[in-house]
C-alpha cells in the first residue's frame, strides 16, 4: 500500500467524493513529507484509511526513517503477551517502545475489546504522545464522539490533530461482480 498505487480519483464516484478523496490523499502526502503532530483518518470500512496510513509508513521506510505500525487489537495482544514468563521482552520495554516510537501508526482504533485494562493502556499511550507531541497516525471506523471521551477529545483537538474524514464508499465493492459477470460465472459452473 503506497501513494503510487492509491487511486485518488475513483472516477465512478460523485465529484464531491472524488474531491474529498484527493484532499485526503494530499493530507497524507503532506504528513508523510514531514511527520508532525497527529493525523486521524476516519470513514467507513474500505474507504482507504489503512492504505493511506500504510503509504505514510512505507514512505518513511523508503527514506530510512523508523516506523512502528500496529493494528490496535494486535498491539494489546502483544502487550498482554509480555506478561508471560517466557516472553523475551518485558512489559516496560515494549510499552516504552510504543509510547516513544518516533512515528507511531495505530490502525483500526476502536476495534479492540473495550476491557478496562485495554482502555487504560490506550489512554496512557495516547495521553503520553499528546503531551510529548509525538507524530502519530490513527485510523478508525468510529466517529470521534463514539470513542471514549478522554481519548476522543484529544483526537478531536485540532491544534494537535488533523481529522481527515474520508467520504468514499468501500473500495472493495468497486470490484463486486456485475450482474452480467455473475450470470457468466453461473453458466461456466453449469458447463463444468
Ligand atoms: N483509492 C484507492 N486506491 C487503490 N486501492 C484502494 C483505494 N481505497 C482502498 N483501496 C484498497 O481497498 C482495500 C481496502 O482499503 P483499506 O484497507 O485502506 O480500507 P479501510 O478504510 O482501512 O477499511 P477498514 O475500516 O475495513 O479497515 C485495500 O486493499 C486497499 O489497498
Ligand atoms: Mg483499515
Amino acid at each position: 500500500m503506497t501513494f503510487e498505487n492509491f487511486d485518488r480519483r475513483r472516477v465512478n464516484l460523485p465529484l464531491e467524493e472524488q474531491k474529498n478523496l484527493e484532499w485526503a490523499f494530499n493530507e497524507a502526502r503532506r504528513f508523510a513529507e514531514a511527520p508532525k503532530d497527529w493525523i486521524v483518518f476516519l470513514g467507513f470500512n474500505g474507504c482507504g484509511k489503512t492504505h493511506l496510513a500504510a503509504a505514510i509508513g512505507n514512505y518513511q521506510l523508503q527514506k530510512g526513517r523508523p516506523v512502528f505500525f500496529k493494528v490496535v487489537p494486535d498491539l494489546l495482544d502483544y502487550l498482554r503477551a509480555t506478561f508471560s514468563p517466557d516472553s523475551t521482552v518485558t512489559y516496560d520495554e515494549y510499552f516504552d517502545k510504543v509510547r516513544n516510537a518516533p512515528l507511531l501508526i495505530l490502525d483500526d482504533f476502536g476495534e479492540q475489546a473495550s476491557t478496562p485494562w485495554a482502555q487504560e493502556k490506550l489512554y496512557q499511550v495516547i495521553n503520553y504522545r499528546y503531551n510529548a507531541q509525538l507524530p502519530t497516525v490513527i485510523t478508525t471506523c468510529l466517529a470521534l464522539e463514539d470513542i471514549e471521551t478522554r481519548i476522543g477529545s484529544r483526537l478531536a483537538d485540532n491544534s494537535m490533530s488533523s481529522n481527515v474524514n474520508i467520504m468514499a464508499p468501500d473500495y472493495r465493492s468497486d470490484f463486486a461482480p456485475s450482474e452480467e459477470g455473475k450470470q457468466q460465472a453461473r453458466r461456466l459452473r453449469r458447463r463444468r
Side-chain angles (χ1 to χ4, degrees), residues 56-117:
I56 292 172
N58 283 320
Y59 189 84
Q60 293 302 306
L61 292 178
Q62 262 176 23
K63 301 265 173 202
R65 303 183 197 133
V67 179
F68 201 76
F69 183 112
K70 276 281 169 261
V71 181
V72 172
D74 295 349
L75 170 72
L76 292 165
D77 275 357
Y78 282 116
L79 215 47
R80 275 190 209 98
T82 59
F83 290 118
S84 149
D86 40 44
S87 170
T88 51
V89 54
T90 69
Y91 168 85
D92 287 342
E93 278 164 356
Y94 192 76
F95 196 60
D96 201 55
K97 196 172 159 189
V98 176
R99 268 201 317 201
N100 280 311
L103 174 62
L104 178 66
I105 304 181
L106 293 176
D107 192 31
D108 269 344
F109 200 95
E111 298 291 303
Q112 70 279 353
S114 59
T115 63
W117 185 84

Side-chain angles (χ1 to χ4, degrees), residues 1 5-7 10 21 44-51 108 141 171-172:
M1 294 180 179
N5 64 18
F6 188 82
D7 175 6
R10 291 185 63 182
L21 195 63
F44 292 122
N45 293 112
C47 69
K49 303 179 298 294
T50 298
H51 193 125
D108 269 344
C141 283
Y171 185 81
R172 297 160 183 134

Side-chain angles (χ1 to χ4, degrees), residues 180-192:
E180 199 187 334
K182 281 186 207 158
Q183 280 172 11
Q184 198 182 10
R186 262 181 238 125
R187 278 199 298 276
L188 282 170
R189 270 201 298 276
R190 256 182 257 125
R191 256 188 248 155
R192 268 193 227 125

